[in-house]
Amino acid sequence: MTALSITSQSSGEMHVRVPIPRLTYLKQIMRSDSFDALWPLFKMANDPCKEFTESYAAMHHLRAWQRTPITVLHIGDGAHARTAALFSFMTKHWNVSIDPVADEAIIGNWSRQYAVERLAWFRGRVEDYPLEQWGASGRRVLVTFVHAHVDVDAVLRRLGGSWVAAYTNACCEPGRQLGSGGIVREDWAILSPERRVKVLTPFDWTGNEQVPEAS
């Protein structure tokens, strides 16, 4: 956050604190060895900077749980599986992108062109994806909801004890999209009008059926 000083001749000096977005995530992405491979997917977005920083924020906020390879489920990942794609290049984790509008031709062609590893996708609603299999398998998972139009609490309840942390970012329905429990934070390195985020763990998640809208 940056403080701007505004001086008034009639009343002296007035200090106004104005939050200014940071370019931290965008710089990290553009300087990375993964940028050239990721750009073909992100350039198709209406706002590539927004999409890049939203996806990078998920990886940044979940960094404490990334010491060893783990499976990451990307819920509502969009037509081009961008968050899963970024994770597949910038982490060592196996990634599953889940979205009803997943463009299998674009994702498949891109994956083959860049020899992408650790990436799978499911074209369908999360309600139709067998989330319960992760609990049965004993494998631990991270979950991202970068701009998913789903009920975060309902998804986490289905995962049972298999999830270790979840990242959520509201875009239009914060009451459902941010989930219950945890602390809402504003991430000023996300270059989007909506930058409220949460990191949930089973220890601070309440699992409420209904969550009041964030103010």
Side-chain angles (χ1 to χ4, degrees):
M1 183 168 300
T2 301
L4 300 183
S5 177
I6 302 175
T7 303
S8 169
Q9 292 182 349
S10 59
S11 59
E13 188 176 77
M14 177 176 63
H15 295 277
V16 180
R17 294 184 67 84
V18 180
I20 296 178
R22 303 189 304 272
L23 300 178
T24 310
Y25 296 161
L26 190 60
K27 288 178 180 178
Q28 292 286 349
I29 295 163
M30 295 184 71
R31 289 170 176 164
S32 77
D33 294 335
S34 306
F35 179 77
D36 287 345
L38 293 171
W39 178 241
L41 284 183
F42 281 84
K43 74 177 182 180
M44 291 185 282
N46 291 331
D47 187 341
C49 293
K50 171 181 177 292
E51 298 290 333
F52 261 132
T53 56
E54 285 177 336
S55 294
Y56 193 92
M59 186 181 69
H60 173 78
H61 286 283
L62 290 174
R63 65 193 183 281
W65 295 271
Q66 297 186 47
R67 295 185 181 92
T68 57
I70 196 168
T71 300
V72 191
L73 305 179
H74 303 276
I75 313 299
D77 200 18
H80 301 147
R82 295 187 181 105
T83 304
L86 185 143
F87 270 67
S88 71
F89 266 92
M90 304 187 81
T91 75
K92 296 182 182 298
H93 311 314
W94 179 260
N95 297 275
V96 183
S97 179
I98 302 168
D99 199 288
V101 298
D103 191 319
E104 296 179 281
I106 288 178
I107 300 169
N109 289 338
W110 174 80
S111 297
R112 287 186 291 273
Q113 180 179 354
Y114 292 96
V116 179
E117 300 177 350
R118 303 183 300 275
L119 174 63
W121 56 91
F122 174 80
R123 179 183 170 87
R125 303 186 312 154
V126 69
E127 292 83 358
D128 300 323
Y129 181 81
L131 290 172
E132 294 80 5
Q133 70 178 335
W134 297 104
S137 71
R139 296 182 66 178
R140 311 294 277 171
V141 300
L142 298 176
V143 194
T144 73
F145 302 88
V146 171
H147 30 227
H149 292 200
V150 301
D151 184 332
V152 164
D153 289 325
V155 172
L156 295 180
R157 279 194 293 272
R158 286 183 58 204
L159 281 167
S162 63
W163 67 284
V164 296
Y167 169 85
T168 72
N169 180 21
C171 62
C172 53
E173 297 179 76
R176 294 197 315 150
Q177 292 173 303
L178 286 173
S180 59
I183 299 172
V184 178
R185 294 181 171 87
E186 286 193 278
D187 185 340
W188 287 91
I190 297 176
L191 303 181
S192 169
E194 181 52 78
R195 50 180 62 88
R196 282 177 291 175
V197 306
K198 273 187 185 180
V199 175
L200 300 173
T201 70
F203 302 101
D204 57 20
W205 176 66
T206 66
N208 290 338
E209 291 291 335
Q210 293 186 351
V211 187
E213 288 286 326
S215 59

